Amino acid sequence: MPELPNVEFLKRYFKNNSLHKKIIDIKCEAKSLIKKIDFKDFKKKLIGKSFKDAWRRGKFLIIEVSGMNEKLIFHFGMSGDLHYIKQGKERRGEDRFTRLCFKFANGYELRWLNMRKLGKIYLTESKKIKLIEEIGPEPLELSEDGFLKLLANYQQKNLKAFLMDQRNIAGIGNVYSDEILFQAKISPHRKIEDLTQKEKKLLFQKTRYVLTKATKDLISLREFPKSWLEPHRHTDLICPRNKNHKLIREIIAGRSAIFCPICQK
C-alpha cells in the first residue's frame, strides 16, 4: 500500500502536472470506487472546473477544486498510482488498470490507476470522512518531545502495531514500519513500555530519517540504499548489516513483518 513517502511523491507529481487545467471530460471504469456521490453528479460537478491545490494527510491525497467547497480525495489502496499523459495514448502496462480518467483542455489526461480496486475516491468535505478525522499526528511534524509524549499514551502497545495504526500516527504502513525498526535496531516484537528512554529517542530519529530519506529518493527516482531492508525484502532476505544473518518474516499485529532477529533486539 502507498505509504507516507509514496503519497508525498504522488502529491508532488500531481501538483507538477495537473493543477490549473480545465477538465473537459471524465471517464470511470470502476464507479463503485467513488464514494458518497453518484458518478453522474461527480462528473457534472467537476467538468469545467480545474484543480487548484493538493496536500497529503496520512495516506490520503486531498485536492482543492476551483469554485467548490468539496474536496476531491484519493485513497490509493494497495496498488494506486497516477499517470499524466497525452490523450489517446494506448493503455499499456499499469495503465491498463486506469479506473478514473480526467481529460484536460490542453490535450493531456490524468489517469488514476488502481489494479486491485482497493482504492477509494471521494468528492466531499474532508471532515465528513471518518477515516481522515481519526488519523493521528503527522510523524514529520512531531517534535522529539511530542513524539515521546505520543509513545507515553500507548505504553502497552506492540511497536509494530503502534507504527502501523493510523489512529496513533499517520502515514506509516507495513514497509516503513519494518524499515524504521530495522534502522533503530529494535525488534518489532517489543512493546513501547519496554523501551529505554535512549531507544525511544532513537526511534524518533530513525522515523524522521527513514520517512524523509524515502520521500527524497522516491522523488529523485533513485534506488533506496543497500543498507536498508527494502532492497532485500523481496529478493535474497539477507540482512544488509551482515550477510551471514538471514532476515525472517513473521506475522506481527496481523501483518507480515520482516526483520533481522540478530541485529534487532
Side-chain angles (χ1 to χ4, degrees):
M1 176 183 290
E3 300 177 34
L4 186 156
N6 311 79
V7 181
E8 187 67 23
F9 166 78
L10 290 171
K11 180 201 77 175
R12 297 187 193 192
Y13 179 86
F14 178 88
K15 292 182 73 169
N16 286 338
N17 294 292
S18 299
L19 294 186
H20 314 302
K21 296 174 174 64
K22 185 178 179 181
I23 301 167
I24 59 171
D25 197 12
I26 304 172
K27 303 293 184 182
C28 184
E29 298 176 7
K31 296 180 177 63
S32 63
L33 301 184
I34 299 176
K35 308 300 180 182
K36 297 183 176 288
I37 185 172
D38 182 79
F39 176 65
K40 289 183 180 179
D41 293 331
F42 179 91
K43 185 174 180 178
K44 183 178 179 181
K45 281 176 174 284
L46 288 172
I47 286 182
K49 301 292 196 302
S50 61
F51 300 130
K52 186 177 179 181
D53 199 2
W55 61 94
R56 179 193 56 76
R57 179 71 175 103
K59 299 178 183 180
F60 291 86
L61 178 63
I62 304 174
I63 300 162
E64 185 176 357
V65 182
S66 62
M68 292 180 61
N69 292 324
E70 297 99 325
K71 307 293 188 294
L72 176 66
I73 302 173
F74 290 145
H75 188 274
F76 293 93
M78 295 294 291
S79 55
D81 205 350
L82 297 173
H83 193 186
Y84 180 79
I85 190 170
K86 197 168 184 63
Q87 291 171 25
K89 289 287 186 179
E90 186 178 350
R91 294 182 181 179
R92 296 178 176 178
E94 290 188 358
D95 279 28
R96 292 181 293 117
F97 306 108
T98 298
R99 308 304 182 191
L100 183 69
C101 181
F102 295 93
K103 295 183 180 294
F104 300 119
N106 68 348
Y108 282 76
E109 64 188 35
L110 179 70
R111 298 173 180 176
W112 184 75
L113 318 178
N114 214 265
M115 181 174 65
R116 297 173 64 181
K117 294 186 179 181
L118 296 174
K120 295 180 178 64
I121 304 160
Y122 302 88
L123 186 65
T124 183
E125 295 180 17
S126 61
K127 67 181 180 181
K128 293 183 179 179
I129 299 177
K130 188 177 180 181
L131 285 174
I132 293 181
E133 284 299 291
E134 292 181 344
I135 292 176
E138 293 286 331
L140 293 178
E141 294 177 5
L142 282 170
S143 64
E144 182 180 271
D145 185 56
F147 185 83
L148 296 177
K149 287 179 179 177
L150 188 64
L151 290 179
N153 292 332
Y154 299 97
Q155 291 281 2
Q156 298 299 315
K157 267 211 165 184
N158 163 274
L159 266 176
K160 173 81 172 174
F162 167 79
L163 289 171
M164 291 184 60
D165 192 332
Q166 302 303 296
R167 296 168 297 180
N168 301 336
I169 190 166
I172 303 172
N174 203 29
V175 171
Y176 292 107
S177 60
D178 284 346
E179 195 66 62
I180 289 166
L181 292 172
F182 178 76
Q183 295 299 325
K185 300 182 181 180
I186 298 173
S187 169
H189 286 292
R190 300 271 300 274
K191 285 188 176 182
I192 292 173
E193 65 178 351
D194 297 329
L195 299 180
T196 65
Q197 192 71 358
K198 182 178 179 180
E199 287 176 319
K200 291 176 182 177
K201 291 184 177 182
L202 182 61
L203 185 65
F204 167 73
Q205 293 164 7
K206 294 304 180 181
T207 297
R208 291 189 64 87
Y209 162 71
V210 166
L211 297 178
T212 301
K213 175 71 172 170
T215 301
K216 181 180 177 182
D217 283 359
L218 281 169
I219 289 170
S220 62
L221 301 180
R222 292 198 301 267
E223 294 182 355
F224 290 128
K226 298 299 183 184
S227 59
W228 281 30
L229 280 183
E230 182 57 24
H232 304 272
R233 66 186 296 125
H234 299 300
T235 55
D236 52 29
L237 286 178
I238 293 174
C239 175
R241 286 201 177 92
N242 189 322
K243 65 180 181 180
N244 295 316
H245 297 171
K246 192 72 174 178
L247 301 174
I248 62 174
R249 190 187 305 268
E250 290 184 7
I251 300 300
I252 302 174
R255 296 292 298 277
S256 176
I258 293 177
F259 63 102
C260 178
I262 300 175
C263 294
Q264 293 173 251
K265 301 297 185 181

